Amino acid sequence: MSGSARRILAVGILLVLGAVVVLGALARSMLHDHALWLERSYRNRWAFRDVPTRRGSICDRHGVPLVRDQPRFALELDYDTFRRRNPLGAAVAGARLLWPDAFDHAHFDAAETAALRLLQLPAKALHAEASSKELARDLRFYVSSVADGLSAKPRAECVRLLLAAVADRSELAVLDVLGLSRDQVARTARRRSESLRQLAAILRANGGEADLGALLEKQWDERIADRGRLLPVRTLARSLPFEVAADLACALEEWRGFRLRPAVDRGTSDLAAQLPSVSSLLGVVTPLGTHRNDGDRLKGMVDDLVEKAQVQDALPDDLDLSEDAVARLQARASSFLRNRVMLAGRYGRSGVESAMESMLAGQLGLRFVERDAHARERLLYRSLDVNPGHDVRVTLDVALQGVLERVLDTHARGLDTAMAVIDARSGDILAIGGRPLTIEQGGKLLERTISPAVTWRNAGYVGSLAKPFVLLEQLAAERAGLPHSDRASFIPCEKRYKEIPGTPRWLECDDFHGEDGRDPALAVAESCNVFFFQVAEGLGMEGLRRAFARAGWFDLAADERAMVQVRVPGVSGLSRPRVDPQGHMLQHVGIGYGVKASALSVARAYAALATGRLPTLGLVVDAERSPAIDLAVPADDLALVQEGLRRCVTEGTAASVSGLAELGVHGKTGTAEVNSKDENNAWFAGYLLAPSGRPTLAFAAVAYTVEDHGKESARMIADFLHGLAALPSGEALRRRWLQGEEDR
């Protein structure tokens, strides 16, 4: 065999062996790895699409919206796309490659000059021989992007003409090569620059990016510092006016690099914006992924969505995937959903938003689709319907809340002031608030997240507001034979009662009541300390604890029914009432020292004096609530205390406050000394008795650390009730709350 034949034979053998290897590989791919490659083929076409959900609205008791999702548009910046495809971004980027000093720290208003200088370059300057290969390539890219964006010529044609001129080392300027008019390019660039300046002004006016030009400069610097890393998309504005969003959406080609994303904004209604105290009760909603506990929450939500979507059952019938392949598909769905939920998901962090999260949140929708090479959907495999959140009604009444806000504004002194108004029978919170609405922390003013009406922290005692409950316990002890002092042995009130051992001070009353101070009803009305000093001495600390437990301010032994309400769903930061007699004489505890409770807890206690039953507070309509707790006191005992509260506003400590008695208010002033500067916690609490004898509203008001003895707080309640009576459209409210008529 000749040498040529041997060589031909060797080549033939190699070809045959190569063919065998290729055919073997193809056979393995077609037979053994068929499912794998089929899966990969489908994966190139599969896609998941999320469908945003609407979060439920929060409305007042009559259905008036307070907080709701409002459609909005968010604007984002993808700087890499802006630099590559937007003619202004490409012009500045290209000019900086050639003239870094001239365009260093150039804002977008220099884009017109940069574009003209680039397009006036001779075509030969874009050849690799005129500069480095990388620089020439980048310049050709930026020049073609500028020409494409500032002229009517298609990009493909611009690139073809430009490459031909570069290959010929043409002396012609790029403008002439592409057949562009210098004036037309300048006008278009100027118009684009002006539009960008207007967008920057709109962003500033709508709480978006404060300085768009500075951001573009910063993005360029970050890109130069790390060329191998894609810059993250930046949110420029979370809520754009509809007309701005419409203009952008109608000219997306002119705004390359900017992304308009439909979304929703959790915003208060115009009416709720006039009720500033309500925001702390309604709570806040923030994106998922911003709190340390969101990891487990996200995982649970995503797993639940993937399970409901039943991805495996949605696959085409001709696709028989392995368990590993299905697991990879589900992992892909989980990854997609996790990213989308972190981007668009929201979670209630406080107040009603947090307490009713399961109702308000709704469920994100999911669509499993097949797409074509242009990412357009062509086939729907599975759709998981989006479930909007349910609306939630709160017990607040916007009309009553509006009156309360005006009263607070009138009486605010820069110190903590609080009011709470509830339905005396049901415990529904009707209006609540306080001032100030901001607190100073670290030299900064911060929005208050907890209402002064729900917390007593660092606020001192309730003082004489405790006396009606101490009297109730005295009467109960007399009937039950428990330890008590015999009222027949009580001495008259001569202002001074006893000298405090070891000190030059005396236990004393604020006034001289004489024999009248032995009358229980008058002792409540006139707030006679001497009477209650003697009651406290007979009851002892255990008896006083029973008295405060009846008010819902103290828990008795574990085997007895707890009357303290520690939590009200939707009310953030509610302080647990506290009875701490340590450091106080027994007699002082009997007049309310050592007793701490919020305005809301005090209003609840006085509702019990009105009805004989301690209601369970509630903020959300139809939410599950424990039944009211019977005070278990005889009607005669309760009537005696109620008589004292009536006489308080007719002839007692609140008699000088006009309007209370005329409206049927029963109440009690309270004073608790805070310091040696004659500053007190000034309280007034009580209830409204309709002409029919039916209790309607219970309330409490307090001004902390003021030179007052409760009359200022009584005026707050009087102003509130007169404001309710004067509501121009409040006939139904007046009938219900002032006249005591049942709802029709």
Side-chain angles (χ1 to χ4, degrees), residues 363-679:
Q363 176 184 278
L364 187 75
L366 176 67
R367 293 166 58 239
F368 180 28
V369 301
E370 182 176 312
R371 62 188 181 186
D372 60 18
H374 300 286
R376 293 174 298 200
E377 296 178 14
R378 57 184 299 268
L379 181 63
L380 174 66
Y381 289 142
R382 174 76 69 181
S383 175
L384 180 63
D385 291 339
V386 60
N387 291 323
H390 297 285
D391 292 349
V392 168
R393 282 195 304 140
V394 294
T395 60
L396 297 175
D397 188 304
V398 293
L400 298 185
Q401 185 69 35
V403 175
L404 181 141
E405 300 284 359
R406 291 191 288 274
V407 170
L408 288 173
D409 286 337
T410 301
H411 290 267
R413 301 182 180 181
L415 301 169
D416 273 7
T417 304
M419 286 184 66
V421 181
I422 68 173
D423 186 324
R425 293 172 301 153
S426 68
D428 286 353
I429 301 172
L430 302 174
I432 188 171
R435 296 292 189 274
L437 297 172
T438 57
I439 55 175
E440 185 175 350
Q441 192 174 53
K444 296 181 179 179
L445 283 179
L446 303 178
E447 292 293 326
R448 204 162 192 162
T449 58
I450 298 176
S451 171
V454 304
T455 182
W456 50 259
R457 300 187 189 282
N458 303 319
Y461 308 120
V462 300
S464 296
L465 295 187
K467 290 177 179 176
F469 299 95
V470 174
L471 175 57
L472 269 183
E473 185 56 33
Q474 167 72 21
L475 300 175
E478 291 174 0
R479 292 179 181 276
L482 295 173
H484 66 280
S485 296
D486 183 2
R487 280 188 286 148
S489 66
F490 280 14
I491 65 172
C493 173
E494 296 180 356
K495 193 165 184 177
R496 282 191 170 185
Y497 175 58
K498 287 181 181 179
E499 190 173 2
I500 300 175
T503 72
R505 295 184 296 120
W506 285 69
L507 291 171
E508 60 183 16
C509 191
D510 292 331
D511 205 347
F512 181 94
H513 298 114
E515 287 291 334
D516 290 341
R518 299 174 60 188
D519 178 354
L522 188 66
V524 170
E526 294 286 353
S527 202
C528 179
N529 286 346
V530 171
F531 178 90
F532 287 98
F533 288 154
Q534 297 175 82
V535 171
E537 290 171 347
L539 292 177
M541 196 58 69
E542 290 304 313
L544 293 177
R545 287 193 174 100
R546 290 195 301 271
F548 302 142
R550 187 174 281 111
W553 298 334
F554 182 75
D555 278 328
L556 291 174
D559 59 344
E560 298 193 40
R561 189 173 184 184
M563 302 178 81
V564 173
Q565 186 172 1
V566 179
R567 182 174 177 271
V568 179
V571 178
S572 297
L574 180 64
S575 290
R576 182 189 184 98
R578 180 179 176 184
V579 176
D580 183 10
Q582 187 173 2
H584 299 283
M585 298 178 60
L586 175 66
Q587 294 90 337
H588 279 156
V589 177
I591 61 172
Y593 284 83
V595 182
K596 298 181 178 181
S598 65
L600 188 58
S601 296
V602 169
R604 178 190 183 221
Y606 273 73
L609 295 179
T611 64
R613 295 169 60 82
L614 189 67
T616 301
L617 296 170
L619 181 62
V620 178
V621 174
D622 298 329
E624 186 176 350
R625 202 185 304 184
S626 301
I629 302 172
D630 199 306
L631 292 185
V633 295
D636 290 346
D637 292 354
L638 190 61
L640 180 60
V641 173
Q642 291 172 344
E643 173 64 12
L645 298 177
R646 182 192 69 81
R647 293 174 68 178
C648 178
V649 301
T650 57
E651 56 187 278
T653 55
S656 62
V657 179
S658 63
L660 292 177
E662 293 85 346
L663 289 171
V665 172
H666 291 48
K668 179 77 182 75
T669 58
T671 303
E673 295 178 3
V674 176
N675 53 41
S676 59
K677 301 177 182 179
D678 294 329
E679 291 179 330

Side-chain angles (χ1 to χ4, degrees), residues 156-490:
E157 183 179 353
C158 291
V159 171
R160 179 178 59 80
L161 293 173
L162 187 61
L163 290 178
V166 170
D168 293 341
R169 275 66 161 189
S170 174
E171 297 283 349
L172 293 175
V174 172
L175 279 170
D176 298 326
V177 168
L178 301 179
L180 302 179
S181 165
R182 184 183 186 283
D183 291 339
Q184 179 185 359
V185 169
R187 284 195 301 272
T188 305
R190 193 176 306 116
R191 178 176 59 82
R192 293 284 189 89
S193 295
E194 182 58 31
S195 297
L196 204 56
R197 278 191 287 271
Q198 292 175 1
L199 177 62
I202 291 172
L203 293 177
R204 288 193 298 272
N206 288 276
E209 185 63 40
D211 191 337
L212 180 58
L215 175 62
L216 294 174
E217 297 300 319
K218 183 178 179 181
Q219 294 285 91
W220 170 262
D221 293 339
E222 290 180 3
R223 188 242 170 202
I224 294 300
D226 190 357
R227 291 196 174 212
R229 179 176 63 91
L230 289 176
L231 296 177
V233 174
R234 292 287 300 266
T235 299
L236 300 179
R238 297 189 178 277
S239 183
L240 281 181
F242 175 79
E243 58 274 12
V244 177
D247 289 343
L248 294 174
C250 292
L252 287 178
E253 282 299 309
E254 292 193 9
W255 294 98
R256 294 168 182 167
F258 293 93
R259 297 180 183 177
L260 196 62
R261 180 169 55 83
V264 289
D265 185 26
R266 193 67 171 169
T268 56
S269 65
D270 292 340
L271 180 59
Q274 303 172 25
L275 310 173
S277 296
V278 169
S279 60
S280 63
L281 289 176
L282 299 181
V284 296
V285 177
T286 62
L288 279 165
T290 57
H291 286 233
R292 62 178 181 274
N293 296 327
D294 282 352
D296 293 339
R297 186 176 293 123
L298 272 169
K299 185 178 185 305
M301 292 175 61
V302 169
D303 290 346
D304 183 57
L305 281 172
V306 172
E307 181 180 355
K308 289 180 179 178
Q310 299 176 345
V311 175
Q312 184 175 2
D313 295 341
L315 299 176
D317 295 335
D318 63 338
L319 185 59
D320 183 18
L321 293 181
S322 65
E323 293 183 1
D324 290 342
V326 173
R328 287 193 293 271
L329 179 61
Q330 289 182 328
R332 184 180 178 192
S334 298
S335 177
F336 167 80
L337 282 173
R338 180 180 177 84
N339 291 335
R340 290 304 303 170
V341 170
M342 286 186 66
L343 181 64
R346 296 167 294 159
Y347 196 82
R349 304 295 180 180
S350 62
V352 178
E353 296 281 14
S354 174
M356 306 305 296
E357 173 67 21
S358 59
M359 287 189 63
L360 291 167
Q363 176 184 278
L364 187 75
L366 176 67
R367 293 166 58 239
F368 180 28
V369 301
E370 182 176 312
R371 62 188 181 186
D372 60 18
H374 300 286
R376 293 174 298 200
E377 296 178 14
R378 57 184 299 268
L379 181 63
L380 174 66
Y381 289 142
R382 174 76 69 181
S383 175
L384 180 63
D385 291 339
V386 60
N387 291 323
H390 297 285
D391 292 349
V392 168
R393 282 195 304 140
V394 294
T395 60
L396 297 175
D397 188 304
V398 293
L400 298 185
Q401 185 69 35
V403 175
L404 181 141
E405 300 284 359
R406 291 191 288 274
V407 170
L408 288 173
D409 286 337
T410 301
H411 290 267
R413 301 182 180 181
L415 301 169
D416 273 7
T417 304
M419 286 184 66
V421 181
I422 68 173
D423 186 324
R425 293 172 301 153
S426 68
D428 286 353
I429 301 172
L430 302 174
I432 188 171
R435 296 292 189 274
L437 297 172
T438 57
I439 55 175
E440 185 175 350
Q441 192 174 53
K444 296 181 179 179
L445 283 179
L446 303 178
E447 292 293 326
R448 204 162 192 162
T449 58
I450 298 176
S451 171
V454 304
T455 182
W456 50 259
R457 300 187 189 282
N458 303 319
Y461 308 120
V462 300
S464 296
L465 295 187
K467 290 177 179 176
F469 299 95
V470 174
L471 175 57
L472 269 183
E473 185 56 33
Q474 167 72 21
L475 300 175
E478 291 174 0
R479 292 179 181 276
L482 295 173
H484 66 280
S485 296
D486 183 2
R487 280 188 286 148
S489 66
F490 280 14

